Every structure is written in structure tokens, then in C-alpha cells.
Amino acid sequence: ITGMSACFDCPANSASLAGASSCDYDPPDCSPCIDRSTVKIRVVSHGQVTDAYWKRMVRVMTVAGQLMNVNLVVKLGYLQRLSEMQLGIENALEEEPDAIIVTLPSSDLLETVQRAAQIVPVFSFNTGTHLAKSAGSLGHIGMNESNAGYGCGEQFQSKFSSAGITFSACLVFYDELDNEAMDQRM
């Protein structure tokens, strides 16, 4: 059976064994019967291992890797040390992955990510929407930070106004000092 693992309970395998010409999955590479166990994906992120949001993100990415049957390794904790994140990306490349997934908290990472994108497919997520294209990311999952910040401000103003509270200034929790996206949210 060409291109399929020993996934004997897969309907695609029985169809192939019965003489069918192709798998019923569209696109065919989405088939759960394809052996992806040798696919190596490395994730390098600025997220902090102690942060509740990033703990959840790691769990979600780990489950996704298991469901896709890929070798996925997530490395976090580089926000306060962007030079270490650059080194983390370079170390990930030394493992000869099939792809690298990164966050882009600073334009200081552009050169390193661009070099990586010349070697393997690079994708980005979370922060760095404004940097993704120039970094060489083939795809980015994130939000427009300016729109998100503006929308958040509008929601706060609406909720406070409906409670009869007016204000002329807003306190912003700025928890990632080296993350350029924080500036865009203002």
C-alpha cells in the first residue's frame, strides 16, 4: 500500500486492498492512515513556562502533535532573552526538523527566522502578525494587535459607561516588555 502506514483499521487501507485506486480523504495527505511518525516539528516561543496561558498552549500543541502522530517538541521561555530565542531557533535547525513554528515578539528575530525559512518551512503564531511575512513565515495564526487593543478599549469603555463610570485614562497591564505587539495594542 503506497504512502500508508500499517493502519489496518483504516477504511482507506481496506479500499486499497480491495483494489480501489485512492484514499477517500480530501486532500489525501489528511488521511489518519499516513505514517507521520518520522515528521519532526519544532516550536520555539517567547512564552513563559510558568504562565497559565502558555501552559495551556503547550498542552494543546502536544495533543495536536499526538493526534497527527508527529514528533513535536515545544521550547518556551525566551521572552526576556531574545538572543537565547535566536539560539533556540538555531538549535532547532540542528535537529533537522521538517518544519519550525515560532512566535515573533521582536523584529530582532527577523534575520534568524529568515535564515531558518531558507532551510525548512517556517510558520508563526500568537504574536508577530506584522512581522510574519517579512520573516518568511508560510502562514501565521494570530491577530491584528492594533485592532485587538482598540476593540478591548471599546469594550471596557462600554462596560464602564453602562455602569455610570467615566474615565480619561486607562491602566494597561504590560507583562511582556520585549514584545513589540504590546506597543501595537496601545
Side-chain angles (χ1 to χ4, degrees), residues 136-162:
S137 175
L138 295 176
H140 182 82
I141 299 172
M143 63 185 173
N144 180 303
E145 304 290 350
S146 293
N147 290 348
Y150 187 82
C152 184
E154 280 184 327
Q155 277 190 336
F156 274 107
Q157 184 179 15
S158 172
K159 290 188 186 296
F160 280 105
S161 294
S162 65

Side-chain angles (χ1 to χ4, degrees), residues 47-48 50-59 125-126 176:
Q48 301 301 300
T50 57
D51 184 281
Y53 170 81
W54 285 103
K55 284 180 183 181
R56 183 181 181 127
M57 288 296 292
V58 169
R59 280 195 311 271
F125 74 107
N126 181 263
E176 296 179 347

Side-chain angles (χ1 to χ4, degrees), residues 1-2 4 11-17 19-25 28 31:
I1 301 171
T2 307
M4 296 194 187
N13 275 352
S14 18
S16 294
L17 291 172
S21 59
S22 67
C23 182
D24 290 335
Y25 289 90
S31 169

Side-chain angles (χ1 to χ4, degrees), residues 3 26 36 40 87 98 105-106 110 121 138 145 157 164 169 181 185:
D26 185 28
R36 295 182 188 88
K40 290 194 294 188
L87 184 60
D98 295 291
S106 171
L110 281 177
L138 295 176
E145 304 290 350
Q157 184 179 15
R185 293 180 193 169

